[in-house]
């Protein structure tokens, strides 16, 4: 019995559905590369720029022209547009970093060991060679082009160079000091770009980052460089297997916890003082730092170390908000 003849329309619909499924599949694969960074680094960095620009303490108006106050609706539109610009800038560069990191030799095996088998390469959604040879170079080009259009090309180029040094040249493996400094440099460049974008677009007249802004960016960079090892306590097994020299593996788990907790508590007092944040700033900074430090020192299981990293991230978010909190004094 002959099969019924399919109409051209039904065939076109089937092809369209298959094409859409393929597009969504690949978009979701790309999204998975940065999934672990979205709620921490990505949103934090956007918030850093918005809080700094909104405070008025880190920027100077680009024009002396006095502008009238704008409506709430117009302010909301500015906020949304600014946030999207900063998000695209940060997300594209984090995608470059993760593609570079996860396509390294031994990367998929380490992800499987650290309960990250859901990532695209170890889960089989995409091959390691395809990421390294095609997706990574094309993403670098797109990220640099978009950053050039946004006016933050220097920060993007510096971040790509830091990512290459960290991953391809082994800067993140050979020495905990170099590893922490590269982390600090990378996040500082993201923060700088986010603040510049927020300063330029958040307000009607447009601002530029002044000396106070760059000093604060440097301070936050030092905060990150001296406490970022909080992320390494939960990954010690995988780091040891890959021969990566992190602070807990070099000086020991206990001493590394003491150094990290002490650094957080010191910065928890310094940052509000620098910004002049007052009682609210001091209270939020000290309380969140104490909670994170207590968790890191007392609870030392794998799951607890993951929680300690999240608590550190909460404290860092409070630090990012410090200029904005100071504007309410």
């Amino acid at each position: 019995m002959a099969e019924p003849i399919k109409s051209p329309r039904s065939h076109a619909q089937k092809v369209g559905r298959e094409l859409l499924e393929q597009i969504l599949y690949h978009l979701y694969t790309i999204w998975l590369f940065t999934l672990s960074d979205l709620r921490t680094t990505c949103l934090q960095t956007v918030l850093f720029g918005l809080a700094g620009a909104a405070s008025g303490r880190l920027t100077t108006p680009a024009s002396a022209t006095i502008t009238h106050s704008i409506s709430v609706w117009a302010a909301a539109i500015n906020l949304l547009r600014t946030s999207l610009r900063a998000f695209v800038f940060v997300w594209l560069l984090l995608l470059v970093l993760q593609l570079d990191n996860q396509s390294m030799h031994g990367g998929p095996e380490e992800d499987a060991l650290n309960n990250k088998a859901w990532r695209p390469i170890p889960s089989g959604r995409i091959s390691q060679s395809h990421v390294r040879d095609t997706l990574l170079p094309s993403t670098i080009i797109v990220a640099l082009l978009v950053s050039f259009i946004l006016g933050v090309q220097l920060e993007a180029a510096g971040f790509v160079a830091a990512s290459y040094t960290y991953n391809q040249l082994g800067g993140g493996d050979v020495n905990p000091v170099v590893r922490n400094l590269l982390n600090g440099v990378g996040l500082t460049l993201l923060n700088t770009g986010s603040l510049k974008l927020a300063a330029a677009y958040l307000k009607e007249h447009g601002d530029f980052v002044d000396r106070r802004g760059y000093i604060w960016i440097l301070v936050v960079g030092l905060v990150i460089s001296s406490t970022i090892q909080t992320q390494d306590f939960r990954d010690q097994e995988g780091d040891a297997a890959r021969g990566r020299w992190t602070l807990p593996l070099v000086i020991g788990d206990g001493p590394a916890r003491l150094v990290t907790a002490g650094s957080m508590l010191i910065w928890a007092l310094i940052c509000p003082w620098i910004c002049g944040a007052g009682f609210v700033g001091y209270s939020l900074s000290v309380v969140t730092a104490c909670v994170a430090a207590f968790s890191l020192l007392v609870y030392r299981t794998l799951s607890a170390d993951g929680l300690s990293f999240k608590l550190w991230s909460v404290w860092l978010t409070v630090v990012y908000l410090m200029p904005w909190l100071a504007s309410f004094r």
Side-chain angles (χ1 to χ4, degrees), residues 268-316:
L269 294 171
I270 293 176
C271 291
W273 174 73
I274 290 176
C275 292
F279 176 77
V280 175
Y282 273 102
S283 299
L284 288 173
S285 180
V286 171
V287 168
T288 52
C290 284
V291 171
F294 179 82
S295 175
L296 188 65
L297 291 172
V298 176
Y299 303 107
R300 306 191 178 193
T301 64
L302 188 63
S303 59
D305 285 337
L307 175 61
S308 295
F309 175 67
K310 292 177 181 178
L311 292 172
W312 170 83
S313 183
V314 171
W315 168 68
L316 187 64

Side-chain angles (χ1 to χ4, degrees), residues 74-200:
I77 294 297
N78 277 350
L79 177 62
L80 179 60
R81 289 175 177 173
T82 304
S83 301
L84 287 175
R85 285 185 175 97
F87 179 85
V88 169
F89 162 73
V90 174
W91 182 79
L92 280 173
L93 290 177
L94 288 176
L95 179 60
V96 169
L97 175 66
Q98 291 299 339
L99 291 173
D100 201 3
N101 180 268
Q102 295 178 37
S103 64
M104 292 283 292
H105 176 71
E109 293 78 10
E110 182 185 2
D111 285 338
L113 188 63
N114 289 332
N115 296 318
K116 298 175 183 176
W118 52 267
R119 284 181 165 178
I121 296 176
S123 65
R125 294 183 67 92
I126 191 171
S127 70
Q128 193 172 7
S129 59
H130 183 71
V131 173
R132 184 176 56 249
D133 299 335
T134 305
L135 188 56
L136 176 58
S138 58
T139 303
I140 290 175
I141 293 172
V142 171
L144 292 177
L145 179 60
V146 170
S147 299
F148 177 78
I149 294 172
L150 292 174
V152 284
Q153 63 273 14
L154 293 180
E155 289 77 14
F159 185 90
V160 171
S163 174
Y164 182 82
T165 304
Y166 186 92
N167 291 300
Q168 302 299 328
L169 300 183
D173 298 339
V174 296
N175 185 290
V177 176
V178 175
R179 173 183 173 84
N180 282 21
L181 286 175
L182 285 172
N183 273 296
V185 168
L187 291 176
T188 296
L189 289 167
L190 292 181
N191 284 339
T192 305
S194 178
L195 181 56
K196 288 174 71 172
L197 288 171

Side-chain angles (χ1 to χ4, degrees), residues 192-207:
T192 305
S194 178
L195 181 56
K196 288 174 71 172
L197 288 171
Y201 296 106
L202 185 60
K203 298 177 182 178
E204 186 182 18
H205 51 70
D207 294 350

Side-chain angles (χ1 to χ4, degrees), residues 48-64:
F48 177 88
L50 294 175
S55 72
R57 289 171 168 258
L58 310 180
T59 60
T60 300
S63 172

Side-chain angles (χ1 to χ4, degrees), residues 181 184 188 215-228 263 267:
L181 286 175
T188 296
I215 290 174
W216 177 239
I217 288 170
L218 176 61
V219 169
V220 173
L222 293 174
V223 172
I224 294 169
S225 296
S226 57
T227 60
I228 189 67
S263 298
W267 284 116

